[in-house]
Each structure stands twice: as C-alpha cells, then as structure tokens.
Amino acid sequence: MPASADFRPVVPPHDEASGNGDAGAALLDGVRRELGIDRGSTVLPPPPTVPLPSRLATGALAWASVSAAVLAAGCSPVSLDPARVAIAYRSDRVLTIDGDAPPVWSPYSGFWETTDGWVRTHGNYPHHAAALRAGLHLREDADPAAVRVALAERRTASAVSDITSAGGLAVPVAVERPAVDRALRERPLLEVSRVDEESASHPRRSELTATSPGSLPLSGMRVLDLTRVIAGPVCTRTLALLGADVLRIDPPHLPEPAWQHLDTGHGKRSAILDARSARLQVLLAEADAVVLGYRPAALDRLGLHPELLARRHPGLIVAQLSAWGTESPDLAGFDSLVQAESGISRIESAEGGRPGALPAQALDHSAGYLLAAAVTTLLRRRSREGGSRIVRTSLRRVAAELLGMPRRGDPAAEVDFDVRPHLARFDVDGSALVTARPALPGFEFRAPHPWGSDQPVW
C-alpha cells in the first residue's frame, strides 16, 4: 500500500490543549537555564494563546522563543501581544511592495506524490529550480504539471536521489521518529562553548553597560551577518532592533529575492563581498559578533569554521545556525524540508492524505529569536568575563523540541483579528513597503536598506 495512504494524525497520550501554555513556560525556563538568563524579580503570568493553530504546539514555541529574546535584552515579556507574535511569524503573508503581495513560493516548491509516498521540494532560488529540472530531466520551461508527472513515475528514494544528485533540494515526507527526537532533545537547544584564543592581545571591543533611559540594549555592538533566507536574518534583524550595528554580507553571484530581503532586512546595512576576501577578515577583526547561516561544510571551505574564527579573533561571539546540524555538514535545507523530513508534515496532514505544514515557518522564526537571545546574553557575559564563545542551533533541533511538546488532536480554528495595528510602513528607495511590526514589545524597526546598497565597512 502506498505510504501516502497511511497518513494519520499522531496524537500522543499527553494530548491536551491546555498543556501548550505549560510547555511554552517550560521551554522558556529551559532556555533561561542553558543561557544563564536572570529574569530578576519578574513573575510571568501564564503564557497567552498565540493564534498559530496547528496540532503541534506552534504558538507555545513562538511565545517561548520571542520571550527568550525579550528576557535576554533585559526586558519583560509580560506585555507580549499574542496577535503581534503570530503576525511576526507569518510576516510573509502581510508583506506588500507598492501595494502588491510578492510571490513567496516558487511553483517548484511543494509536496509531490510519488509511487510510494510523497516528497517535498524547494526551488525558490533559480539555481535550485534549475537543479530540480536537471535531476528530473525536464526542459527549462517545464511547468508544475511536468514536475508532477515526472515525480509520479518515481519511487520516493529515487526521486530524492535524482534531484539531490543534480544539486537540487528534496526530502522524503517521513514519519515521526520519537527515538531520534529524544536523542536530539538530550542535547542543549542552544549549545554554548568557550574557545581558547590564540592571543590575549586584540582590538578593544565595545562593552555593554547598564542601559540608560532611551538607549537600546545592544548599542555600540557590531554584528556581521553572514546568513540567508529566514532564520539567520530574523536573528540579526532582532539584534539590529536591539541597537546593534548589523552589516549583512552577501556573495556577488547569488542575489537575494527582493521580497525576502525586505521582509527580514530591517535596521541592517547590506553589502556585497566575496567571503574569501581580505576585507571580510578586517570586518571580522572589528566585529563583536558574527552570525553564520551557511552549511557547515561551506563555512569550512571559506575558512569560516566557528572555532577558527573564535580563536583568531579574541572576544568574538560566533553564532552558527544550520538546517540539519553539524552532523550533516554538506546537507542544505530549509524550514519546509525539515518539517517534511522530521515527521511534522505528516502530523499536520489535514485528512491523512496530502501532507500538511505548520501555520508559519515556525522553525525558522523560532531559531532566529532563540539565537538572538543567545548572542545578546553572550555579549553581556563577555563584558563581565571576556573570552570568545560559540553558540549553535539548527532547525532540526528546534523541530525535535516542538515534537516533544504537548499536541492536540485537531488544530484550533483560525482567529480573525485586525492586522492593521501590527503593520509597519516604510519608504525603501522609492518603494512603499508594508511589513509586520516587531514581536518584541516596546521596540520599532528601522527601514531596511536596499539589498547590496552599502559598502562593506563598519
């Protein structure tokens, strides 16, 4: 029998809607312990219900992740607006440029049925779309119908092999593997390590001091942003929101889709630079933190291995984010692929047939806020103790966390509310941009710079 006929919502014995709030509080406490965040005398009320309806505890994950960033900044999450958090996690749905909603998904990205199951593909970047067509032996002008026919003739393993061998992105829509997730949860969600530095002498780095009224928590901090897509840019966007000087660097040969940059580029400068250039090393030497979002193997090839950077640049905070973790250094991935491979897509299947998805790219957004919490905390710790530190997490590790939280038999109904109070408006190089406002209470975004419009200098 085809695997696609076996889809059933997976509901563990601890299924209870009310458990989601408790799970969110437990997750936040776990993150606080891992990072050593002191919430002071703040007594948090029960977490509100964030309107991100799903079988899994997506809303609780979102609340805990944003709250961690708020606590790390020295603020209180008591005033978190659950609707604001939901809109921030679904920011691509409210984004408009000159009044138009941009096409977010490529027609080559999605679920496709095979002879024995389903695969999930990702073709949003042109080179990934071209590789998918090459792997399936399709013409350059192939439409989604041609992709559907080509995949319907293949077994799942063959389809994934054909596409990935050509450099494309595809994973099987797999069943949940509780033992794998338990093993992942035995490791920290945010894995922090201190690195011995090569030299005690280094350029004086800025130190965080107690914030004065009107100042931002990360004022004076320089953050180099070497990330793409959503999770890493959400992290660095949050650091910019908290006052850091964030400089995003992109390679000359790989333009970022305009909508994607504008959705997560708030408050950052954007420059084009070859990562192998001497200029990048100068930027690293003068940075307080660097956020890495490329595959671990690609970082090694570019001479950007986290341990190497931390040793070479004393006092540097290095944050590494990947899709699958350092155990799969050559494997590229995105939120949608991790959802499919980890079993989330089967759990969220509406009727046990076609695979489903979370109500937002919640693995991406949560990883971004959690990593921002870690960088903020480590910058504060460096001011007290000195030293270089590395923090790591992955979308797959976040997925394991979500899969271990209470779930419900059926998702709650969508909640209608007025989104207008949760929107920000900017003029970016003559274009009218509407985006989601920050999930963090009390802060407001600055406008994104046009992609590649700045010089690679501090």
Side-chain angles (χ1 to χ4, degrees), residues 223 235 239 289 291 317 319 370-380 391:
V223 177
C235 169
L239 299 175
V291 184
I317 304 302
L370 290 167
L371 205 60
V375 172
T376 302
T377 303
L378 294 178
L379 285 170
R380 291 181 179 277
V391 56

Side-chain angles (χ1 to χ4, degrees), residues 56 176 181 185 342 344 347 399-405 407:
L56 295 172
E176 181 181 8
D181 294 313
R185 290 194 296 272
S342 66
I344 290 174
I347 293 169
E401 197 69 30
L402 178 60
L403 287 162
M405 298 169 75
R407 58 187 74 166

Side-chain angles (χ1 to χ4, degrees), residues 178-216:
V180 171
D181 294 313
R182 281 195 298 272
L184 286 169
R185 290 194 296 272
E186 288 175 357
R187 298 167 49 181
L189 180 56
L190 295 158
E191 192 168 353
V192 178
S193 59
R194 182 163 179 165
V195 177
D196 293 330
E197 301 154 343
E198 291 179 353
S199 170
S201 62
H202 56 83
R204 190 187 75 81
R205 299 186 188 276
S206 302
E207 292 189 2
L208 287 173
T209 57
T211 57
S212 58
S215 66
L216 294 171

